[in-house]
Amino acid sequence: MTSADIYDVAVVGYGPTGATAANLLGQLGLKVVVIERDPDIYNRARAISTDEEVMRVWQSVGLAARMQRDMLPGRPLAFVDADGRAFIETVITGRGCGHPSQQFLYQPAVDEVLREGVARFANVDVLLERECLRVANREDHVELLLGDLRTDTFTRLRASYVIAADGGSSPTRGLLGVGYSGRTYAERWVVIDTKVLREWDAHDRLRFHCNPERPTVDCPTPLGHHRWEFPVGPGEDEHELVTDEAVWRVLRAQGITPEHVEILRAVVYSHHVRVADRWRVGRVFLAGDAAHAMPPWIGQGMSAGVRDAANLCWKLAGVLRGEVAESILNSYEAERKPHVTEVTRRAVVVGRVITERRPVVAAFRNHVLRALTKVPGVLAAGQRRFWIPEARYGDGFFAAMPNPAVGRQIPQPTVTHDGVAMPLDDLLGGTWALVYTGALPAGARTWQQIGLQARRISEPGLTRWLRDHGAHAAVLRPDGFIYAAAGLGESLPNPPAGLTLHNLTGAHA
């Protein structure tokens, strides 16, 4: 084993989670290896949407603008009855992250941009057609045994840490002996991907057809694609349902003909609600589908994995540089698992609304929700309660203080610096930072002495947000979450033991 075979972090799996991690770690200057079994990008569109918080992660590695070119932002969504009449119709409201609140995407295009991003970093090696056959924790590193699927040979690598982002069936999770608790729904679903030839009414919106006889999801995707999903009914042959004849029966029932679309593929899959029993085993961390699986109803499977990478990578970099204590790595699961659990719960609830099979109950649902959504404020309240939960962590690497801003992700307005307008994250550059309104708060000097940058904020929206959350000053972690906050006249706490920021560097989009 040569020094070329020794890495800071090995990333197993090159889907969106692994590729995002490789970009984040590459930008932070770590020596990284990515290990992927497949020879190329998986060409079937799986994820179909993302949100503003994920775009903010991709902004941090300079890829958001390029991603945006291939996405559909701001499209409405509707829950419709068997006659096609909407009983809920809305557009997802943003939370001030500086990007569209919800966007539809074509996953192979997203994967391509992420891989192009990784190619920018000479410190990241990508090994395709390699299978990870063994991961062995040692005292100060992890040993990996790789099988080369092209030459039928073996290679040994060493990494300080490993991120296993190798999917729901994660061989790495199996090698570690970690359970994957939860359930797989008995009902299987057919997914139809098409190429749009001629547009039709409502082609550009997400519609949940809540028909007890055949619930169907009708979803726009960019770059000239469109998707339908529907369940395999009792007594139906799933192999027959993916034939062109069966697919056209479903599409024609919605007014779609061969003049409108070309069928690209039809496949059958299962919905899962599962979570790994542990997300960390020694120096190996599970992320993305390897750590959790959820139904697709609110489009958060891929996004949850990107959030995992954003939470974990800056912590790994800090530990490897000696800037934070190794114990910070225990906060990864503590922070991410409750959020994933709540996202999954909401996805299950939305799925029950969509797939209700009892006609009487469905009729009652349609009537009640149609009436309720006409009441001012109900749609907004419903989004807060049943759609993607707020980016907030109740436990983890945060100061022990009662301020309500702690654990929340700060919004990202456009701010002005030296006469130049820019997004807040670009100004802060992905490092620890102190933002404050008015005078520099008591306790700030202690943070500045260890290398923290301090920025006085005058942007009205952000000033108001801080005030509404009881803060006039906030210490931000590199991922934009508030570590500590102080109200008017209050003092910031001291930095945590072992935190030193003098060597911390970051780049921004």
Side-chain angles (χ1 to χ4, degrees):
M1 185 180 298
T2 68
S3 60
D5 302 316
I6 301 175
Y7 294 89
D8 292 318
V9 181
V11 178
V12 183
Y14 206 22
T17 300
T20 297
N23 275 283
L24 290 164
L25 297 167
Q27 179 168 265
L28 288 165
L30 299 184
K31 187 176 180 183
V32 179
V33 61
V34 181
I35 301 156
E36 169 57 47
R37 193 180 194 283
D38 292 335
D40 205 345
I41 291 170
Y42 189 56
N43 67 3
R44 182 165 70 83
R46 291 158 291 168
I48 56 174
S49 72
T50 193
D51 60 72
E52 58 191 314
E53 294 164 15
V54 170
M55 291 301 294
R56 195 170 172 180
V57 175
W58 289 334
Q59 174 196 338
S60 73
V61 290
L63 299 178
R66 174 63 187 87
M67 291 281 194
Q68 192 70 61
R69 297 209 304 262
D70 293 337
M71 292 185 177
L72 295 175
R75 296 304 195 266
L77 66 87
F79 293 74
V80 304
D81 60 21
D83 297 323
R85 294 176 57 234
F87 56 88
I88 299 175
E89 193 162 16
T90 189
V91 175
I92 301 301
T93 304
R95 293 185 174 133
C97 286
H99 296 280
S101 55
Q102 179 170 352
Q103 305 196 75
F104 296 106
L105 57 85
Y106 185 61
Q107 186 175 330
V110 169
D111 287 335
E112 183 175 355
V113 173
L114 288 171
R115 293 189 182 194
E116 288 172 355
V118 172
R120 298 171 297 175
F121 303 112
N123 50 311
V124 180
D125 294 335
V126 177
L127 305 181
L128 301 178
E129 297 184 84
R130 306 303 206 282
E131 187 170 14
C132 185
L133 301 174
R134 189 178 69 188
V135 287
N137 273 292
R138 303 297 184 230
E139 184 177 351
D140 62 351
H141 66 276
V142 182
E143 290 184 0
L144 301 96
L145 177 64
L146 310 184
D148 190 323
L149 301 177
R150 304 164 303 171
T151 62
D152 203 23
T153 57
F154 302 94
T155 306
R156 295 181 187 275
L157 299 179
R158 178 182 295 179
S160 295
Y161 295 98
V162 173
I163 300 175
D166 48 349
S169 60
S170 178
T172 307
R173 189 184 63 235
L175 291 170
L176 296 169
V178 175
Y180 202 43
S181 304
R183 61 175 293 202
T184 295
Y185 287 84
E187 190 172 63
R188 304 259 285 166
W189 280 67
V190 178
V191 178
I192 305 165
D193 286 313
T194 68
K195 177 182 177 181
V196 175
L197 305 177
R198 181 165 65 87
E199 295 176 349
W200 59 95
D201 289 344
H203 72 279
D204 62 344
R205 64 188 57 206
L206 171 62
R207 292 189 296 176
F208 296 112
H209 297 267
C210 305
N211 183 347
E213 292 186 10
R214 177 79 82 184
T216 305
V217 180
D218 170 5
C219 181
T221 49
L223 302 175
H225 295 87
H226 202 92
R227 171 182 285 189
W228 283 266
E229 303 182 18
F230 64 91
V232 177
E236 291 184 313
D237 181 353
E238 64 182 49
H239 299 291
E240 192 272 336
L241 287 176
V242 298
T243 64
D244 281 0
E245 180 181 357
V247 168
W248 280 120
R249 282 200 303 269
V250 173
L251 297 187
R252 283 194 172 98
Q254 298 197 19
I256 305 301
T257 72
E259 293 181 355
H260 296 108
V261 301
E262 172 190 345
I263 298 171
L264 296 179
R265 62 189 63 84
V267 296
V268 180
Y269 74 98
S270 298
H271 292 164
H272 306 278
V273 176
R274 294 188 178 276
V275 63
D277 297 343
R278 292 181 291 163
W279 293 19
R280 178 184 185 183
V281 179
R283 291 174 168 265
V284 183
F285 297 83
L286 303 178
D289 288 353
H292 45 75
M294 66 184 70
W297 306 116
I298 59 176
Q300 282 293 291
M302 179 198 71
S303 296
V306 173
R307 286 179 169 88
D308 292 346
N311 184 282
L312 178 59
C313 288
W314 71 268
K315 296 174 181 176
L316 289 172
V319 170
L320 287 163
R321 291 171 171 170
E323 295 157 350
V324 292
E326 198 272 346
S327 59
I328 193 178
L329 300 177
N330 292 326
S331 69
Y332 164 59
E333 180 177 348
E335 291 172 9
R336 288 293 305 134
K337 192 171 186 177
H339 190 265
V340 165
T341 300
E342 176 61 14
V343 171
T344 303
R345 186 193 69 79
R346 295 184 181 203
V348 170
V349 169
V350 172
R352 287 173 180 163
V353 173
I354 297 166
T355 61
E356 176 56 58
R357 296 303 189 94
R358 295 165 293 181
V360 173
V361 176
F364 179 77
R365 170 202 64 195
N366 301 346
H367 175 75
V368 170
L369 292 179
R370 187 175 284 120
L372 279 175
T373 54
K374 294 177 181 178
V375 177
V378 167
L379 283 173
Q383 286 187 30
R384 289 193 298 271
R385 187 175 180 84
F386 298 109
W387 210 247
I388 303 165
E390 178 187 11
R392 183 185 185 187
Y393 298 141
D395 189 19
F397 186 65
F398 301 104
M401 57 192 312
N403 191 288
V406 173
R408 298 178 188 270
Q409 187 179 43
I410 196 168
Q412 183 188 209
T414 297
V415 296
T416 301
H417 178 64
D418 292 338
V420 178
M422 64 181 68
L424 176 65
D425 291 359
D426 288 6
L427 173 64
L428 301 180
T431 65
W432 284 81
L434 166 62
V435 296
Y436 64 97
T437 63
L440 195 68
R445 299 297 182 192
T446 307
W447 287 90
Q448 290 178 306
Q449 288 170 3
I450 64 167
L452 192 79
Q453 58 172 311
R455 302 281 186 182
R456 186 176 183 275
I457 297 296
S458 58
E459 194 279 327
L462 183 52
T463 300
R464 183 171 54 253
W465 186 91
L466 287 168
R467 184 178 64 247
D468 290 347
H469 290 86
H472 287 265
V475 175
L476 308 181
R477 309 187 321 183
D479 59 357
F481 283 79
I482 296 175
Y483 173 83
L488 188 63
E490 296 177 343
S491 177
L492 288 169
N494 289 328
L499 181 65
T500 173
L501 309 179
H502 290 294
N503 300 322
L504 185 59
T505 60
H508 55 76

